[in-house]
Amino acid sequence: MSYIDKGSGEVICLIHGLGSRKESWQYQINELSKYYRVIAVDLRGHNESRINYNITLQTMAADIIDLLDSLHIDSAHFLGISLGGIVTQEVLHSYPRYVKSTILSNTASILPYWIGKYTVDQRMDKLGSMDDEDYEYLATKNCLHSHYPDSYIHKISNMFLDVNRSTYMQAASAPLGINYTNTLIHNSKPMLVIGSMFDKVTPYINTLTTYTLARHAKLKTFYNSGHIPNIEEPEEFNNAVLEFLHNIN
């Protein structure tokens, strides 16, 4: 598994979103590594990962646990955004002994199959009618809340997205039909749920649903960012993460 390992102390594992890459966490890695050992991973089928088959939530979660085992790490804090937040919930569900706390950003806990399938089909139609650069530009623009010049959107796109056409459909379909209600209700580990009021990719109602189901969760809402507050409002995002982690340690 391709990963970044920086800093020392307690481990926080960063898990990126669909079509994204570990480098999308660059605004977090430098700041969080002042206080923690930060490990940012490329999910199976993404970026520099060499594994491009059997892409499921279960295999992506297992890959992360295998990496932690290989590094002799027996527990960590997990921070996941979008698809990474769903993978984080799968880690919590299947490997709870590894979890110190979870931070779920701009993600979902329940996704009925046919609603998700409709969204996936729309994405694949757009991908089929565009080249990689145009699709990544459009996807990045959709993830942002404010209006930015094209040069800035291209800059964020280059840092944020790296769509692999051979694996994108599998990765996009992996969360279809998820329901982590029981996992959240019975979770006793500290949890922070982050959402953006103007998220066009994962609407804010998903954040409220996750927060309501998780008995011990705290909530952080962003009002000036879209789907990727870690990039659009990195300072406030980092402060929220560090405040949460410092208060449970």
Side-chain angles (χ1 to χ4, degrees):
M1 173 178 275
S2 176
Y3 64 97
I4 297 169
D5 189 343
K6 184 175 182 180
S8 61
E10 289 194 2
V11 175
I12 177 168
C13 184
L14 308 183
I15 311 174
H16 62 67
L18 175 66
S20 190
R21 58 175 86 180
K22 59 185 181 296
E23 289 81 6
S24 64
W25 293 109
Q26 65 177 264
Y27 294 139
Q28 283 66 58
I29 292 170
N30 289 335
E31 183 64 24
L32 299 182
S33 63
K34 296 176 183 178
Y35 312 94
Y36 298 93
R37 180 181 178 185
V38 178
I39 296 176
V41 302
D42 274 332
L43 290 173
R44 177 180 293 221
H46 289 73
N47 198 29
E48 296 178 346
S49 171
R50 297 181 180 180
I51 307 176
N52 292 321
Y53 57 88
N54 193 20
I55 300 171
T56 68
L57 298 179
Q58 292 73 28
T59 56
M60 288 188 280
D63 289 342
I64 293 168
I65 297 303
D66 287 344
L67 173 63
L68 296 183
D69 284 342
S70 72
L71 297 174
H72 308 289
I73 297 169
D74 58 11
S75 63
H77 306 281
F78 291 85
L79 164 54
I81 191 165
S82 194
L83 174 62
I86 298 174
V87 174
T88 296
Q89 291 173 85
E90 181 59 34
V91 170
L92 180 62
H93 173 75
S94 297
Y95 307 97
R97 73 176 182 85
Y98 285 83
V99 178
K100 287 185 176 180
S101 71
T102 52
I103 303 171
L104 307 177
S105 179
N106 299 75
T107 191
S109 301
I110 301 171
L111 182 60
Y113 180 86
W114 289 111
I115 294 176
K117 182 67 164 54
Y118 175 76
T119 301
V120 170
D121 288 345
Q122 283 189 317
R123 286 180 176 174
M124 297 312 298
D125 287 345
K126 289 180 181 178
L127 185 61
S129 63
M130 300 179 180
D131 62 24
D132 289 354
E133 183 177 356
D134 286 344
Y135 180 82
E136 290 170 1
Y137 170 88
L138 181 64
T140 300
K141 186 176 182 179
N142 195 47
C143 286
L144 298 169
H145 168 53
S146 298
H147 295 286
Y148 299 101
D150 285 351
S151 58
Y152 179 80
I153 297 173
H154 281 295
K155 175 185 174 182
I156 296 300
S157 178
N158 291 335
M159 177 189 86
F160 167 50
L161 285 180
D162 181 23
V163 172
N164 184 338
R165 288 178 181 264
S166 66
T167 59
Y168 190 73
M169 180 66 175
Q170 290 183 68
S173 299
L176 299 184
I178 61 163
N179 189 333
Y180 287 108
T181 296
N182 286 336
T183 301
L184 294 172
I185 289 175
H186 294 102
N187 173 51
S188 61
K189 309 288 180 67
M191 178 179 290
L192 173 63
V193 180
I194 296 173
S196 302
M197 188 66 69
F198 299 104
D199 189 340
K200 297 187 290 288
V201 179
T202 308
Y204 187 68
I205 186 63
N206 292 278
T207 297
L208 293 180
T209 299
T210 298
Y211 172 65
T212 301
L213 291 172
R215 294 182 301 163
H216 301 281
K218 296 183 181 299
L219 176 66
K220 169 64 178 177
T221 301
F222 284 80
Y223 296 95
N224 295 300
S225 65
H227 189 57
I228 46 176
N230 62 312
I231 294 175
E232 203 165 5
E233 293 190 89
E235 184 175 353
E236 185 175 352
F237 187 93
N238 293 342
N239 288 341
V241 169
L242 287 171
E243 180 180 3
F244 169 72
L245 292 175
H246 291 344
N247 283 339
I248 64 176
N249 288 329

